Coordinates of all heavy atoms in Angstrom, one line a residue:
N1 N 0.8 -1.2 -0.1 CA -0.1 -0.1 0.0 C 0.9 1.3 0.0 O 1.7 1.5 0.9 CB -0.9 -0.1 1.2 CG -1.9 1.1 1.4 OD1 -1.5 2.2 0.8 ND2 -3.0 0.9 1.9
L2 N 0.7 2.1 -1.1 CA 1.6 3.4 -1.1 C 1.4 4.2 0.0 O 2.4 4.9 0.5 CB 1.1 4.1 -2.4 CG 1.9 3.6 -3.6 CD1 1.4 4.4 -4.9 CD2 3.4 3.8 -3.5
Q3 N 0.2 4.5 0.5 CA -0.1 5.3 1.6 C 0.7 5.0 2.9 O 1.4 5.8 3.4 CB -1.6 5.5 2.0 CG -2.2 6.6 1.5 CD -3.6 6.8 1.9 OE1 -4.3 5.7 2.0 NE2 -4.1 7.9 2.1
E4 N 0.7 3.6 3.1 CA 1.4 3.1 4.3 C 2.8 3.3 4.1 O 3.5 3.8 5.1 CB 1.1 1.6 4.5 CG -0.3 1.4 5.2 CD -0.6 -0.1 5.3 OE1 0.3 -0.9 5.1 OE2 -1.8 -0.3 5.4
K5 N 3.3 3.1 3.0 CA 4.8 3.3 2.7 C 5.1 4.8 2.8 O 6.2 5.0 3.5 CB 5.2 2.8 1.3 CG 5.4 1.4 1.2 CD 6.0 1.0 -0.2 CE 6.3 -0.4 -0.3 NZ 6.2 -1.0 -1.7
A6 N 4.3 5.7 2.4 CA 4.6 7.1 2.5 C 4.6 7.6 3.9 O 5.4 8.3 4.4 CB 3.6 7.9 1.7
K7 N 3.7 7.0 4.7 CA 3.5 7.3 6.1 C 4.8 6.8 6.9 O 5.5 7.5 7.7 CB 2.3 6.7 6.8 CG 2.1 7.2 8.1 CD 0.6 6.9 8.4 CE 0.3 7.2 10.0 NZ 0.6 8.6 10.3
A8 N 5.2 5.5 6.6 CA 6.3 5.0 7.2 C 7.6 5.8 6.9 O 8.5 6.0 7.8 CB 6.5 3.6 6.8
A9 N 7.7 6.3 5.6 CA 8.9 7.0 5.2 C 8.9 8.4 6.0 O 10.0 8.9 6.4 CB 8.9 7.4 3.8
Q10 N 7.7 9.0 6.1 CA 7.7 10.3 6.8 C 8.1 10.1 8.3 O 8.8 10.8 8.8 CB 6.2 10.9 6.8 CG 6.1 12.2 7.4 CD 4.9 12.8 7.4 OE1 4.0 12.5 6.7 NE2 4.7 13.9 8.1
I11 N 7.5 9.0 9.0 CA 7.9 8.7 10.4 C 9.4 8.6 10.4 O 10.0 9.0 11.3 CB 7.0 7.4 10.9 CG1 5.7 8.0 11.1 CG2 7.8 6.9 12.2 CD1 4.8 6.7 11.3
A12 N 10.0 7.7 9.5 CA 11.5 7.5 9.5 C 12.2 8.9 9.4 O 13.3 9.1 10.1 CB 11.9 6.7 8.4
R13 N 11.7 9.9 8.7 CA 12.2 11.2 8.3 C 12.2 11.9 9.6 O 13.2 12.5 10.1 CB 11.6 11.9 7.2 CG 12.3 11.9 5.9 CD 11.8 13.1 5.0 NE 10.4 13.2 5.0 CZ 9.6 12.5 4.2 NH1 10.1 11.6 3.4 NH2 8.2 12.8 4.2
E14 N 11.0 11.9 10.4 CA 10.8 12.7 11.5 C 11.7 12.2 12.6 O 12.2 12.9 13.4 CB 9.4 12.7 11.9 CG 8.5 13.6 11.0 CD 6.9 13.4 11.3 OE1 6.6 12.7 12.1 OE2 6.2 14.0 10.6
K15 N 11.7 10.9 12.6 CA 12.7 10.3 13.7 C 14.0 10.7 13.6 O 14.8 11.1 14.5 CB 12.5 8.7 13.7 CG 12.3 8.1 14.8 CD 11.9 6.5 14.7 CE 11.8 5.9 16.1 NZ 11.4 4.6 16.0
A16 N 14.6 10.5 12.4 CA 16.0 10.9 11.9 C 16.3 12.4 12.4 O 17.2 12.7 12.9 CB 16.3 10.6 10.6
E17 N 15.2 13.2 12.0 CA 15.4 14.7 12.3 C 15.5 14.9 13.9 O 16.2 15.7 14.3 CB 14.2 15.5 11.8 CG 14.4 16.9 11.7 CD 13.3 17.7 11.1 OE1 12.7 17.3 10.1 OE2 12.7 18.7 11.8
A18 N 14.5 14.2 14.5 CA 14.6 14.3 16.0 C 15.9 13.8 16.6 O 16.5 14.6 17.5 CB 13.5 13.5 16.6
Q19 N 16.4 12.8 16.1 CA 17.8 12.4 16.5 C 18.9 13.3 16.2 O 19.7 13.6 17.1 CB 18.1 10.9 16.0 CG 17.4 9.9 16.7 CD 17.4 8.5 16.1 OE1 17.4 8.4 14.8 NE2 17.3 7.4 16.7
E20 N 18.8 14.0 15.1 CA 19.7 14.8 14.5 C 19.7 16.1 15.5 O 20.7 16.7 16.0 CB 19.4 15.2 13.2 CG 20.7 16.0 12.5 CD 20.3 16.2 11.1 OE1 19.8 15.4 10.3 OE2 20.4 17.4 10.7
N21 N 18.5 16.5 15.7 CA 18.3 17.8 16.7 C 19.0 17.4 18.1 O 19.5 18.3 18.7 CB 17.0 18.2 16.8 CG 16.5 19.0 15.4 OD1 17.3 19.5 14.7 ND2 15.3 18.9 15.2
A22 N 18.6 16.3 18.6 CA 19.0 16.0 20.1 C 20.5 16.0 19.9 O 21.1 16.4 20.9 CB 18.5 14.5 20.3
K23 N 21.2 15.4 19.0 CA 22.7 15.5 18.9 C 23.2 16.9 18.8 O 24.2 17.3 19.4 CB 23.1 14.6 17.7 CG 24.6 14.3 17.8 CD 24.7 13.0 16.9 CE 26.2 12.5 17.1 NZ 26.8 12.4 18.6
K24 N 22.6 17.7 17.8 CA 23.0 19.1 17.8 C 23.0 19.9 19.2 O 23.8 20.6 19.5 CB 22.1 19.9 16.8 CG 22.4 19.8 15.3 CD 21.5 20.8 14.6 CE 21.4 20.2 13.2 NZ 20.3 20.9 12.5
L25 N 22.0 19.6 20.0 CA 21.8 20.2 21.3 C 22.9 20.0 22.2 O 23.4 20.9 22.9 CB 20.5 20.0 21.8 CG 19.2 20.4 21.4 CD1 18.0 19.8 22.0 CD2 19.1 21.9 21.3
E26 N 23.5 18.7 22.1 CA 24.6 18.4 23.1 C 25.7 19.4 23.0 O 26.4 19.7 24.0 CB 25.1 17.0 22.6 CG 24.3 15.9 23.0 CD 24.7 14.5 22.4 OE1 26.0 14.4 22.2 OE2 23.8 13.6 22.4
S27 N 26.0 20.0 21.8 CA 27.3 20.7 21.7 C 26.9 22.3 21.6 O 27.7 23.1 21.4 CB 27.8 20.4 20.4 OG 27.0 20.6 19.3
M28 N 25.7 22.7 22.0 CA 25.3 24.2 21.9 C 24.8 24.6 23.3 O 24.3 23.8 24.1 CB 24.4 24.5 20.9 CG 23.1 23.9 20.8 SD 21.9 24.4 19.5 CE 22.6 23.7 18.1
Q29 N 25.2 25.9 23.5 CA 24.5 26.5 24.7 C 23.7 27.7 24.3 O 24.0 28.4 23.3 CB 25.7 27.1 25.5 CG 25.2 27.5 26.8 CD 26.4 27.8 27.8 OE1 27.3 28.7 27.5 NE2 26.4 27.3 29.1
V30 N 22.6 27.7 25.0 CA 21.7 28.9 24.6 C 21.8 29.9 25.9 O 21.7 29.6 27.0 CB 20.2 28.3 24.5 CG1 19.3 29.5 24.2 CG2 20.1 27.3 23.5
K31 N 22.0 31.3 25.4 CA 22.0 32.3 26.5 C 20.7 33.0 26.4 O 20.3 33.3 25.5 CB 23.1 33.3 26.1 CG 24.5 32.9 26.6 CD 25.6 34.0 26.4 CE 26.8 33.6 26.8 NZ 28.0 34.4 26.4
V32 N 20.3 33.1 27.7 CA 18.9 33.8 28.0 C 19.4 34.9 28.9 O 19.9 34.7 29.9 CB 17.9 33.0 28.4 CG1 16.6 33.7 28.6 CG2 17.5 31.8 27.5
T33 N 19.1 36.1 28.6 CA 19.4 37.3 29.5 C 18.2 37.7 30.4 O 17.0 37.6 29.8 CB 19.9 38.5 28.8 OG1 19.1 38.9 27.9 CG2 21.3 38.3 28.1
A34 N 18.4 38.1 31.5 CA 17.2 38.4 32.4 C 17.7 39.5 33.4 O 19.0 39.6 33.7 CB 16.7 37.3 33.0
K35 N 16.8 40.2 33.9 CA 17.1 41.2 35.1 C 16.6 40.6 36.3 O 15.7 39.9 36.4 CB 16.2 42.6 34.7 CG 16.8 43.3 33.6 CD 16.3 44.7 33.6 CE 16.6 45.6 32.5 NZ 17.8 45.4 31.7
A36 N 17.4 41.0 37.3 CA 17.2 40.4 38.6 C 17.4 41.4 39.8 O 17.9 42.6 39.5 CB 18.2 39.3 39.1
G37 N 16.7 41.2 40.9 CA 16.8 42.1 42.0 C 18.0 42.0 42.7 O 19.0 41.2 42.3
S38 N 18.2 42.7 43.8 CA 19.5 42.7 44.6 C 19.7 41.3 45.2 O 20.8 41.0 45.5 CB 19.5 43.7 45.7 OG 18.2 43.5 46.5
N39 N 18.7 40.4 45.4 CA 18.9 39.1 46.0 C 19.3 38.0 45.0 O 19.4 36.9 45.3 CB 17.6 38.7 46.8 CG 16.4 38.7 45.9 OD1 16.5 39.0 44.7 ND2 15.3 38.3 46.5
G40 N 19.4 38.6 43.7 CA 19.9 37.6 42.7 C 18.6 36.8 42.0 O 18.8 36.1 41.1
R41 N 17.4 37.1 42.5 CA 16.3 36.3 42.0 C 15.8 37.1 40.8 O 15.7 38.4 40.9 CB 15.2 36.2 43.0 CG 15.5 34.9 44.1 CD 14.4 34.6 44.9 NE 13.3 33.9 44.3 CZ 13.3 32.7 43.8 NH1 14.4 32.0 43.9 NH2 12.3 32.2 43.3
L42 N 15.4 36.4 39.7 CA 15.0 37.2 38.5 C 13.6 37.9 38.8 O 12.8 37.5 39.6 CB 14.8 36.3 37.4 CG 16.0 35.4 37.0 CD1 15.7 34.5 35.8 CD2 17.2 36.2 36.8
F43 N 13.3 39.1 38.1 CA 12.2 39.7 38.2 C 11.0 39.0 37.7 O 9.9 38.8 38.1 CB 12.2 41.1 37.6 CG 13.0 42.1 38.3 CD1 14.0 42.8 37.7 CD2 12.8 42.4 39.7 CE1 14.7 43.7 38.6 CE2 13.4 43.3 40.3 CZ 14.5 44.0 39.8
G44 N 11.3 38.4 36.5 CA 10.3 37.4 35.9 C 10.8 36.0 36.1 O 11.6 35.7 36.9
A45 N 10.6 35.2 35.2 CA 11.1 33.9 35.1 C 11.5 33.5 33.6 O 10.8 34.1 32.7 CB 10.0 32.9 35.6
V46 N 12.4 32.7 33.4 CA 12.8 32.2 32.2 C 11.9 31.0 31.8 O 11.7 30.1 32.5 CB 14.2 31.7 32.0 CG1 14.5 31.2 30.7 CG2 15.2 33.0 32.4
T47 N 10.9 31.4 30.7 CA 10.1 30.3 30.2 C 10.5 29.5 29.1 O 11.5 29.9 28.4 CB 8.7 31.0 29.9 OG1 9.1 32.0 28.7 CG2 8.3 32.0 31.0
S48 N 9.8 28.4 28.7 CA 10.1 27.6 27.7 C 9.9 28.4 26.4 O 10.8 28.2 25.4 CB 9.1 26.4 27.6 OG 7.9 26.8 27.6
K49 N 9.1 29.5 26.3 CA 9.0 30.3 25.0 C 10.3 31.0 24.9 O 10.8 31.2 23.7 CB 7.8 31.3 25.2 CG 7.6 32.1 24.0 CD 6.4 33.0 24.1 CE 6.3 33.9 22.9 NZ 7.3 34.1 21.9
E50 N 10.9 31.5 26.0 CA 12.1 32.4 25.8 C 13.2 31.4 25.4 O 14.0 31.9 24.5 CB 12.4 33.0 27.2 CG 11.6 34.2 27.4 CD 11.7 34.7 28.9 OE1 11.3 34.1 29.8 OE2 12.4 35.8 29.0
I51 N 13.2 30.2 25.8 CA 14.3 29.3 25.5 C 14.2 29.0 24.0 O 15.1 29.0 23.2 CB 14.3 28.1 26.3 CG1 14.6 28.4 27.8 CG2 15.2 27.0 25.9 CD1 14.4 27.3 28.9
S52 N 12.8 28.6 23.6 CA 12.6 28.4 22.3 C 12.9 29.6 21.3 O 13.7 29.3 20.3 CB 11.1 28.1 22.1 OG 10.8 27.9 20.7
D53 N 12.7 30.8 21.7 CA 13.0 32.0 20.9 C 14.4 32.1 20.8 O 15.2 32.4 19.7 CB 12.5 33.2 21.5 CG 10.9 33.2 21.4 OD1 10.3 32.5 20.6 OD2 10.3 34.1 22.0
A54 N 15.3 31.9 21.9 CA 16.7 32.2 21.9 C 17.4 31.0 21.1 O 18.3 31.4 20.5 CB 17.2 32.0 23.5
L55 N 16.9 29.8 21.1 CA 17.4 28.7 20.2 C 17.3 29.1 18.8 O 18.2 28.9 18.0 CB 16.6 27.4 20.5 CG 17.2 26.3 21.3 CD1 16.2 25.2 21.5 CD2 18.5 26.0 20.7
S56 N 16.1 29.6 18.4 CA 15.9 30.0 17.0 C 16.8 31.2 16.7 O 17.5 31.2 15.5 CB 14.5 30.5 17.1 OG 14.2 31.0 15.6
K57 N 17.0 32.3 17.4 CA 17.7 33.4 17.1 C 19.2 33.0 17.2 O 20.0 33.4 16.2 CB 17.6 34.6 18.2 CG 16.5 35.4 17.9 CD 16.4 36.7 18.8 CE 15.0 37.2 18.9 NZ 14.3 37.0 20.2
Q58 N 19.7 32.3 18.1 CA 21.1 32.1 18.4 C 21.6 30.9 17.4 O 22.8 30.9 17.0 CB 21.5 31.8 19.7 CG 21.2 33.1 20.6 CD 21.3 32.6 22.1 OE1 21.9 31.7 22.5 NE2 20.5 33.4 22.9
H59 N 20.8 29.9 17.1 CA 21.3 28.6 16.4 C 20.5 28.4 15.3 O 20.7 27.3 14.6 CB 21.4 27.5 17.5 CG 22.3 27.8 18.6 ND1 23.6 27.8 18.6 CD2 22.0 28.0 19.9 CE1 24.2 28.0 19.7 NE2 23.2 28.2 20.6
G60 N 19.4 29.1 15.0 CA 18.6 28.8 13.9 C 17.9 27.5 14.0 O 17.5 26.9 13.0
M61 N 17.7 27.1 15.2 CA 16.9 25.8 15.5 C 15.5 26.1 15.9 O 15.4 26.8 16.8 CB 17.7 25.0 16.6 CG 18.2 23.7 16.0 SD 19.0 22.9 17.5 CE 18.0 21.4 17.6
T62 N 14.6 25.4 15.3 CA 13.2 25.7 15.7 C 12.8 24.5 16.6 O 12.7 23.3 16.1 CB 12.3 25.9 14.5 OG1 12.9 26.7 13.6 CG2 10.9 26.2 14.9
I63 N 12.5 24.7 17.8 CA 11.9 23.8 18.7 C 10.7 24.4 19.3 O 10.8 25.4 20.0 CB 12.9 23.2 19.7 CG1 14.0 22.5 19.0 CG2 12.2 22.2 20.7 CD1 15.1 22.1 20.0
E64 N 9.5 23.8 19.2 CA 8.4 24.4 19.7 C 8.4 24.3 21.3 O 8.9 23.5 21.9 CB 7.0 23.7 19.4 CG 6.8 23.7 17.8 CD 7.4 22.5 17.1 OE1 7.9 21.7 17.7 OE2 7.3 22.5 15.9
K65 N 7.9 25.4 21.8 CA 8.0 25.6 23.3 C 7.3 24.4 24.1 O 7.7 24.1 25.1 CB 7.5 26.9 23.8 CG 5.9 27.1 23.7 CD 5.7 28.5 24.1 CE 4.3 28.9 23.9 NZ 3.0 28.8 24.2
N66 N 6.3 23.8 23.5 CA 5.6 22.7 24.2 C 6.5 21.4 24.2 O 6.0 20.5 24.9 CB 4.2 22.5 23.6 CG 4.3 22.0 22.1 OD1 5.3 22.2 21.4 ND2 3.1 21.6 21.6
K67 N 7.6 21.5 23.5 CA 8.5 20.3 23.6 C 9.6 20.5 24.6 O 10.3 19.5 24.9 CB 9.0 20.0 22.1 CG 8.0 19.5 21.1 CD 8.7 19.2 19.8 CE 7.7 18.7 18.9 NZ 8.2 18.3 17.6
I68 N 9.7 21.7 25.1 CA 10.7 21.9 26.1 C 10.0 21.7 27.4 O 9.1 22.3 27.8 CB 11.1 23.5 25.9 CG1 12.0 23.7 24.6 CG2 12.2 23.8 27.2 CD1 12.2 25.0 24.2
V69 N 10.8 20.8 28.2 CA 10.1 20.5 29.5 C 10.8 21.1 30.7 O 11.9 21.0 31.0 CB 10.4 18.9 29.7 CG1 9.7 18.5 31.0 CG2 9.8 18.1 28.5
L70 N 10.0 22.2 31.2 CA 10.6 22.9 32.4 C 9.8 22.5 33.4 O 8.5 22.8 33.6 CB 10.4 24.4 32.0 CG 11.4 25.3 31.4 CD1 11.0 26.7 31.3 CD2 12.7 25.0 32.1
P71 N 10.4 21.7 34.5 CA 9.5 21.3 35.7 C 9.0 22.5 36.4 O 8.0 22.5 36.8 CB 10.5 20.6 36.5 CG 11.8 20.5 35.8 CD 11.6 21.3 34.5
E72 N 9.9 23.6 36.4 CA 9.3 25.0 36.9 C 10.2 25.9 36.2 O 11.2 25.7 35.7 CB 9.4 25.0 38.4 CG 10.9 24.7 38.9 CD 10.9 24.5 40.5 OE1 10.0 24.0 41.0 OE2 11.9 25.0 41.0
N73 N 9.6 27.1 36.1 CA 10.2 28.2 35.4 C 11.6 28.5 36.2 O 11.7 28.4 37.3 CB 9.4 29.5 35.2 CG 8.3 29.3 34.2 OD1 8.4 28.5 33.5 ND2 7.2 30.0 34.5
I74 N 12.5 29.0 35.4 CA 13.9 29.3 35.9 C 13.8 30.7 36.6 O 13.5 31.7 35.9 CB 15.0 29.2 34.9 CG1 15.0 27.7 34.2 CG2 16.3 29.7 35.4 CD1 15.9 27.6 33.1
K75 N 14.2 30.8 37.9 CA 14.2 32.2 38.5 C 15.5 32.7 38.9 O 15.4 33.6 39.8 CB 13.1 31.9 39.6 CG 11.7 31.7 39.2 CD 10.8 31.9 40.3 CE 9.3 32.0 39.8 NZ 8.4 31.0 40.1
T76 N 16.5 32.1 38.6 CA 17.9 32.5 39.1 C 18.9 32.5 38.0 O 18.6 31.8 36.9 CB 18.4 31.6 40.3 OG1 18.4 30.3 39.9 CG2 17.6 31.8 41.6
Y77 N 20.0 33.1 38.1 CA 21.1 33.2 37.1 C 21.8 31.8 37.3 O 21.8 31.2 38.3 CB 22.2 34.2 37.4 CG 21.6 35.7 37.1 CD1 21.7 36.6 37.9 CD2 21.0 35.9 35.8 CE1 21.3 38.0 37.7 CE2 20.5 37.1 35.5 CZ 20.6 38.2 36.6 OH 20.2 39.5 36.2
G78 N 22.4 31.4 36.1 CA 23.2 30.2 36.2 C 23.1 29.3 35.0 O 22.4 29.8 34.1
A79 N 23.6 28.0 35.1 CA 23.6 27.2 33.9 C 22.5 26.0 34.3 O 22.5 25.6 35.4 CB 24.9 26.5 33.7
F80 N 21.6 25.8 33.3 CA 20.6 24.8 33.6 C 20.6 23.9 32.4 O 20.7 24.2 31.3 CB 19.2 25.4 33.8 CG 19.2 26.4 34.8 CD1 19.5 27.8 34.6 CD2 18.7 26.0 36.1 CE1 19.4 28.7 35.6 CE2 18.7 27.0 37.1 CZ 19.1 28.4 36.8
D81 N 20.2 22.6 32.8 CA 20.0 21.5 31.7 C 18.6 21.4 31.6 O 18.0 20.8 32.6 CB 20.8 20.2 31.9 CG 22.3 20.5 31.7 OD1 22.7 21.3 31.0 OD2 23.1 19.5 32.2
V82 N 18.0 21.7 30.4 CA 16.5 21.6 30.3 C 16.4 20.5 29.3 O 16.8 20.5 28.2 CB 16.0 23.0 29.8 CG1 14.5 22.9 29.6 CG2 16.2 24.1 30.8
K83 N 15.4 19.6 29.7 CA 15.0 18.5 28.9 C 14.1 19.0 27.6 O 13.2 19.9 27.9 CB 14.3 17.3 29.7 CG 14.2 16.1 28.9 CD 13.7 14.9 29.9 CE 13.6 13.7 29.2 NZ 13.1 12.5 30.0
C84 N 14.3 18.2 26.6 CA 13.5 18.6 25.4 C 12.9 17.3 24.8 O 13.7 16.4 24.5 CB 14.3 19.3 24.4 SG 13.6 19.8 23.0
K85 N 11.7 17.2 24.7 CA 11.0 15.9 24.0 C 10.7 16.1 22.6 O 9.9 16.9 22.2 CB 9.8 15.5 24.9 CG 10.2 15.0 26.3 CD 9.0 14.3 26.9 CE 9.4 13.8 28.2 NZ 8.2 13.4 29.0
F86 N 11.3 15.2 21.7 CA 11.2 15.4 20.4 C 10.0 14.5 19.8 O 9.7 14.5 18.7 CB 12.4 15.1 19.6 CG 13.4 16.1 19.8 CD1 14.6 15.9 20.6 CD2 13.4 17.4 19.1 CE1 15.6 16.9 20.8 CE2 14.3 18.3 19.4 CZ 15.4 18.1 20.1
G87 N 9.6 13.7 20.7 CA 8.6 12.6 20.3 C 9.4 11.3 19.9 O 10.6 11.4 19.9
Y88 N 8.7 10.3 19.5 CA 9.3 9.0 19.0 C 10.3 8.6 20.3 O 11.3 7.9 20.0 CB 10.0 9.1 17.8 CG 9.2 9.6 16.6 CD1 9.4 10.8 16.2 CD2 8.3 8.7 16.2 CE1 8.5 11.3 15.1 CE2 7.4 9.2 15.2 CZ 7.6 10.4 14.6 OH 6.7 10.8 13.6
E89 N 10.0 8.8 21.4 CA 10.7 8.5 22.7 C 12.2 9.1 22.5 O 13.2 8.4 23.0 CB 10.7 6.9 22.9 CG 9.5 6.5 23.5 CD 9.3 5.1 23.5 OE1 10.3 4.4 23.4 OE2 8.1 4.7 23.4
I90 N 12.5 10.2 21.7 CA 13.7 10.7 21.6 C 13.6 12.1 22.4 O 12.8 12.9 22.2 CB 14.1 11.1 20.1 CG1 14.1 9.7 19.3 CG2 15.3 11.9 20.0 CD1 14.1 9.8 17.8
S91 N 14.7 12.1 23.3 CA 14.7 13.5 24.0 C 16.1 14.0 24.0 O 17.1 13.2 23.8 CB 14.2 13.3 25.5 OG 14.9 12.4 26.1
G92 N 16.3 15.3 24.2 CA 17.6 16.0 24.2 C 17.7 16.7 25.4 O 16.8 17.0 26.2
V93 N 18.9 17.5 25.5 CA 19.0 18.3 26.7 C 19.3 19.7 26.1 O 20.4 19.7 25.3 CB 20.1 17.9 27.7 CG1 20.3 18.9 28.8 CG2 19.6 16.6 28.3
I94 N 18.8 20.7 26.6 CA 19.2 22.0 26.0 C 20.0 22.7 27.2 O 19.5 22.7 28.4 CB 17.8 23.1 25.8 CG1 17.0 22.4 24.8 CG2 18.3 24.4 25.3 CD1 15.6 23.0 24.6
H95 N 21.2 23.1 27.0 CA 22.0 23.8 27.9 C 21.8 25.3 27.8 O 22.1 26.0 27.0 CB 23.5 23.5 27.6 CG 23.9 22.0 27.6 ND1 23.9 21.2 28.6 CD2 24.1 21.3 26.4 CE1 24.2 19.9 28.1 NE2 24.4 19.9 26.9
V96 N 21.1 25.7 28.9 CA 20.6 27.1 29.0 C 21.5 27.8 30.1 O 21.8 27.4 31.1 CB 19.2 27.1 29.5 CG1 18.7 28.6 29.6 CG2 18.4 26.3 28.5
L97 N 22.0 28.9 29.6 CA 22.8 29.9 30.4 C 22.0 31.1 30.7 O 21.7 31.8 29.8 CB 24.2 30.2 29.8 CG 25.1 31.0 30.8 CD1 25.5 30.2 32.0 CD2 26.3 31.5 30.1
V98 N 21.6 31.3 31.9 CA 20.8 32.6 32.2 C 21.9 33.6 32.8 O 22.5 33.3 33.9 CB 19.7 32.3 33.2 CG1 18.9 33.5 33.5 CG2 18.7 31.1 32.7
C99 N 21.9 34.6 32.1 CA 22.9 35.7 32.6 C 22.2 37.0 32.6 O 21.1 37.3 32.1 CB 24.2 35.7 31.7 SG 23.9 35.6 30.0
E100 N 22.9 38.1 33.2 CA 22.4 39.3 33.5 C 22.2 40.1 32.2 O 23.0 40.1 31.4 CB 23.4 40.1 34.3 CG 22.7 41.1 35.3 CD 23.6 41.5 36.3 OE1 24.5 40.8 36.8 OE2 23.4 42.7 36.8
A101 N 21.0 40.7 32.1 CA 20.8 41.6 30.9 C 21.6 42.8 30.9 O 21.9 43.4 31.8 CB 19.2 41.9 30.9

């Protein structure tokens, strides 16, 4: 059946792309700038949307914010490893560096 073959080919492509993206993430760092008060806590929080936007601007990589798994929003400066689920049981890690704006 041609339809089934086409679907299988598309799934294979998407899987390969997911694995490639997961591999690319290993070697890159995403910088997100934020402002903080005197206690070092951020005024806002770094959200998955900001991480997604930064990835796009800095590395030309498009990862939808709903694929970025933030157990809670980031509220301090520092380096964070944020999980990213690509589907097909493939996940990667985004190395996020939150620094002063």
Side-chain angles (χ1 to χ4, degrees):
N1 181 329
L2 271 178
Q3 253 181 332
E4 281 173 21
K5 276 188 179 157
K7 192 166 173 52
Q10 185 180 348
I11 288 172
R13 257 198 318 275
E14 287 172 3
K15 229 175 170 169
E17 194 182 314
Q19 281 167 327
E20 196 181 309
N21 283 340
K23 197 153 182 52
K24 275 188 204 164
L25 284 177
E26 285 174 21
S27 61
M28 61 176 69
Q29 187 175 53
V30 182
K31 273 191 184 157
V32 179
T33 56
K35 287 191 176 348
S38 55
N39 60 358
R41 286 191 67 74
L42 304 184
F43 285 129
V46 174
T47 62
S48 52
K49 182 182 182 336
E50 286 173 284
I51 295 169
S52 171
D53 291 347
L55 257 176
S56 176
K57 277 191 199 108
Q58 293 165 31
H59 301 286
M61 240 181 123
T62 307
I63 295 176
E64 295 91 5
K65 66 179 175 74
N66 60 350
K67 291 187 175 176
I68 298 171
V69 184
L70 271 182
E72 51 192 38
N73 288 338
I74 298 169
K75 294 188 163 118
T76 55
Y77 291 133
F80 302 89
D81 285 344
V82 177
K83 194 171 177 179
C84 179
K85 288 188 175 173
F86 291 106
Y88 302 106
E89 292 176 14
I90 297 165
S91 58
V93 173
I94 305 171
H95 303 291
V96 180
L97 182 66
V98 181
C99 44
E100 215 166 326

